[in-house]
Amino acid sequence: MVPTVHGRRLGKVPYVELADGRVQGVVSSGSAGERVYVSSVSADSRTLSCATNNNRPCGGLRGAPCKHIRSLIDEACRHYGAERVAAYLRMDAGQDAKDALMGLQGPVEPGPTGVVFTRFLRYLSYLEHPGTTAPIPEMHWFPAGRSA
Amino acid sequence: MLPAALTGLLASAPPGVDEALELTDGLDAVLTDGLARPGAEGARALGDLAAATGSSPLAAPVREAVSSVGSGPVSAASLAALAGARTALTGAVHDALLAVLDTALGRTRAEAHAPAAPAAAPAPELEGARAWLTELAVAGWRGVDRDLAAGADAALTPLLEDPARRRLAVLLDGLGAELRAHCPLSGDQDPPARRWGDLWARAVLLAQDAFPAWPGAPAEEVSGRLLPLGADLHQHPTAFQVQVHALLEPSGGGPARLVRTSVSALKVDVLTRESVWGLVAEHAALLGALAEHRALEVEGMPLLDGGDLVWHDDRARKGEPADRFTAARLHLSGAAAPAVPALERHPARIAEPVLLEGYAAKRTTGPVPGLALDLDGARLPVSLLRSPDSSSLDVKAAASSGACIGLMRWDAGQWSVQLLGVAAKKAPAGQTHTADWALGPTDPKSASALRKSDPLGTLRERAGKLLRR
């Protein structure tokens, strides 16, 4: 089964996932109300990327993580646990996971902004489908259990 | 249930169960390495499977499927035959287990009706699902990489639109999420072969054009008083289901009937624990009765052959306060149990309500710490895996209980009880049930935290802004 996640501050980071070899997600702009940034860190080369959903590069990203990437990492750690995030990014197991993540450095490259934003919209669409009252016997394989 | 009956139940598995599971384990090993390269051991396992189904209507298609494995592309019909053979075996295991459980409980079960009629029309929206399930079987769990795991999304997208395909959509999404979380497997890591084999086989069947849309059709309409016994909660990252077990006292008289009623919603991963109940808030009468420990009056509600009451909140109203332990003491032992629809028969579906009293709850150590109920020396494990985190029924409440209403389960090869509600040993009036938070957490700290964070409201607001532009 899938480990249960712990939740995150949705106002700040409405979307985060460990997918396609990256920690990636959508981060609310600190200043402009409606604007969001799509940020990511890749596992293989630690490539950092951050841009608005209209593909305008983030001005704060120069070699070290910008505040959006820092928020993304912060909330990913809250959501999945720092160990799991660090393991996904193949960071050194010897170091403290959270410290290692906060000290990230890497080349800056344009990221998969469109793909991640589309996945965010798909994620939200799950809440738009109506519920059902027809029994789903298959859910017996997925008990809402306490994780140990 | 009496301690003597429980001792008998726990002592040994019914004859044939181990042998049947050995056969499905053989197929699961083939699915682990992939149908593309079954190997000598795999070929032997497939041969055994064909021999075991040799005197059944599945004989010819299974024989054909087995002989085609390892020589060229695997056809959809071959996969359906293999999944069918596995399902027939797990179905037989289910029947044997449920029969001994019914005997131990003294429960009378209705005779099964003829299986639901096959769906007539071809369903092109299922093609993506069949293709993905075929790729998984050919690659094997060891061969599933990130891209193949992510293929679930494309397969289930056309199914999400149609509530009649919800069963398959939810199953593919659950399996896909597990594959994404665990694959590719590292060299020394074994997949949960039986579990993934179960999910795969059920998905293959649900993806057949002919699979009936309703599990236990046709329905009759029933009216009367519904006494909830407790709520069984299910969830994976993108789905949540509440299945209420209840006693129905038909308004026309006659013995009480055991029924289940289910309400479900799609969700996203971040909605867990206390935030899940908001997903099904539209069923206000049902949730109100659960949270306030009341009975319900239902009028003209469809009841399927398999004992599933198809919930219509507008055909129900909240009734008088009803103590669940009293209801269980009065009616549970004499209640009529429904037959299990043919295509649902699987050990994982066994969830029989029981009332247990006069036990000593004991914490157990071992590889994983647990809890067991000691009834005059018979030790029944408590299923913590099935103890939901969206309620106040935690291990502490369970450990200090003196009576419980639960579901008898058969998970991982052994019997256990899943707790739906407990009464404290020292003060039996103090009860804790899994659905006490149905209208929101009763514990003030969790309630105010939920009001403050409101994850469901926050995400719905975003969805409203972004998706309906």
Side-chain angles (χ1 to χ4, degrees), chain A residues 1-22 26-29 33-36 43 53 79-80 84 88 90 117 119-148, chain B residues 146 153 156-157 160-161 163 166-167 170-171 173-174 177-178 182 195 198-199 202 206 214 232-236 238-239 241 243 260 262-264 266-273 283 308 310-311 344 346 348 385-389 391 393-394 409 455 459 462-463 465-469:
Chain A
M1 289 191 283
V2 184
T4 338
V5 298
H6 304 285
R8 60 180 181 270
R9 281 184 285 222
L10 288 165
K12 225 170 166 189
V13 177
Y15 185 57
V16 63
E17 63 173 357
L18 307 177
D20 303 330
R22 285 183 295 266
V26 174
V27 182
S28 299
S29 157
E34 293 278 291
R35 190 188 297 162
V36 292
N53 56 320
H79 187 84
Y80 295 108
R84 206 172 144 198
Y88 195 81
R90 293 185 232 129
F117 197 71
R119 288 175 61 80
F120 173 47
L121 294 182
R122 180 177 190 277
Y123 180 82
L124 288 178
S125 74
Y126 272 79
L127 299 174
E128 300 275 291
H129 293 291
T132 65
T133 61
I136 306 176
E138 288 66 37
M139 287 302 285
H140 284 280
W141 274 291
F142 302 97
R146 275 165 208 278
S147 34
Chain B
R146 236 171 228 166
D153 283 359
L156 69 91
T157 299
L160 281 174
E161 301 297 326
R166 195 53 64 82
R167 286 177 66 184
V170 158
L171 178 56
D173 227 359
E178 286 186 25
H182 299 290
R195 172 176 175 80
D198 277 345
L199 302 181
R202 177 61 65 89
L206 285 168
W214 287 87
D232 176 16
L233 311 182
H234 310 144
Q235 74 174 53
H236 67 46
T238 56
Q241 176 169 260
Q243 186 163 70
R260 313 176 177 201
S262 312
V263 297
S264 64
L266 297 181
K267 70 175 194 70
V268 293
D269 60 352
V270 72
L271 301 172
T272 57
R273 286 178 275 275
H283 310 288
D308 287 296
V310 183
W311 193 253
E344 273 186 38
H346 187 285
L385 180 73
R386 292 185 182 274
S387 166
D389 54 13
S391 82
L393 208 176
D394 54 12
R409 290 283 190 178
L459 286 172
R462 288 253 177 198
K465 277 188 194 149
L466 289 169
L467 299 174
R468 282 190 289 273
R469 259 181 193 168

Side-chain angles (χ1 to χ4, degrees), chain B residues 7 33 68 84 107 111 186 205 216 256 303 369 374 392 403-404 423 452:
Chain B
T7 307
D33 293 329
S68 76
R107 192 155 287 170
E111 292 283 326
S186 60
L205 292 197
L303 177 65
D374 189 316
S392 46
C404 71
K452 231 169 101 190

Side-chain angles (χ1 to χ4, degrees), chain B residues 124-430:
Chain B
E125 72 271 25
L126 296 175
E127 267 161 30
R130 285 196 292 260
W132 184 61
L133 292 163
T134 304
E135 283 180 62
L136 288 179
V138 170
W141 305 127
R142 288 200 188 286
V144 174
D145 59 13
R146 236 171 228 166
D147 288 341
L148 183 47
D153 283 359
L156 69 91
T157 299
L159 307 173
L160 281 174
E161 301 297 326
D162 180 2
R165 297 282 177 210
R166 195 53 64 82
R167 286 177 66 184
L168 180 57
V170 158
L171 178 56
L172 293 178
D173 227 359
L175 175 59
E178 286 186 25
L179 296 178
R180 262 196 300 265
H182 299 290
C183 294
L185 296 165
S186 60
D188 56 351
Q189 202 182 358
D190 284 325
R194 190 181 283 180
R195 172 176 175 80
W196 286 354
D198 277 345
L199 302 181
W200 176 85
R202 177 61 65 89
V204 169
L205 292 197
L206 285 168
Q208 301 303 310
D209 286 345
F211 198 91
W214 287 87
E220 55 172 317
E221 287 196 348
V222 294
S223 302
R225 189 160 80 124
L226 195 65
L227 297 162
L229 290 167
D232 176 16
L233 311 182
H234 310 144
Q235 74 174 53
H236 67 46
T238 56
F240 174 60
Q241 176 169 260
V242 183
Q243 186 163 70
V244 179
H245 290 259
L247 291 157
L248 174 71
E249 295 179 322
S251 51
R257 299 168 74 168
L258 270 172
V259 298
R260 313 176 177 201
T261 192
S262 312
V263 297
S264 64
L266 297 181
K267 70 175 194 70
V268 293
D269 60 352
V270 72
L271 301 172
T272 57
R273 286 178 275 275
E274 55 272 20
S275 64
V276 289
W277 288 102
L279 290 159
V280 291
E282 61 187 299
H283 310 288
L286 183 64
L287 295 200
L290 288 174
E292 294 162 12
H293 300 193
R294 286 171 186 276
L296 286 145
E297 303 292 334
V298 299
E299 183 78 49
M301 198 85 87
L303 177 65
L304 306 182
D305 273 350
D308 287 296
L309 196 61
V310 183
W311 193 253
H312 288 70
D313 210 63
D314 55 350
R315 300 186 199 176
R317 60 187 171 76
K318 260 191 318 192
E320 296 292 306
D323 181 84
R324 295 190 193 151
F325 282 91
T326 308
R329 264 177 218 122
L330 281 178
H331 300 295
L332 194 52
S333 65
V340 181
L343 289 167
E344 273 186 38
R345 293 157 45 248
H346 187 285
R349 195 218 184 247
I350 295 176
E352 282 302 307
V354 287
L355 169 69
L356 299 172
E357 296 176 286
Y359 54 75
K362 290 189 175 154
R363 288 184 190 260
T364 54
T365 49
V368 195
L371 191 68
L373 306 183
D374 189 316
L375 283 112
D376 273 357
R379 283 203 151 198
L380 181 62
V382 172
S383 171
L384 296 182
L385 180 73
R386 292 185 182 274
S387 166
D389 54 13
S390 45
S391 82
S392 46
L393 208 176
D394 54 12
V395 181
K396 211 173 131 206
S400 57
S401 71
C404 71
I405 297 173
L407 297 176
M408 287 299 291
R409 290 283 190 178
W410 199 79
D411 286 327
Q414 66 166 3
W415 290 105
S416 60
V417 61
Q418 168 188 359
L419 303 180
L420 301 182
V422 296
K425 190 167 201 156
K426 288 197 175 132

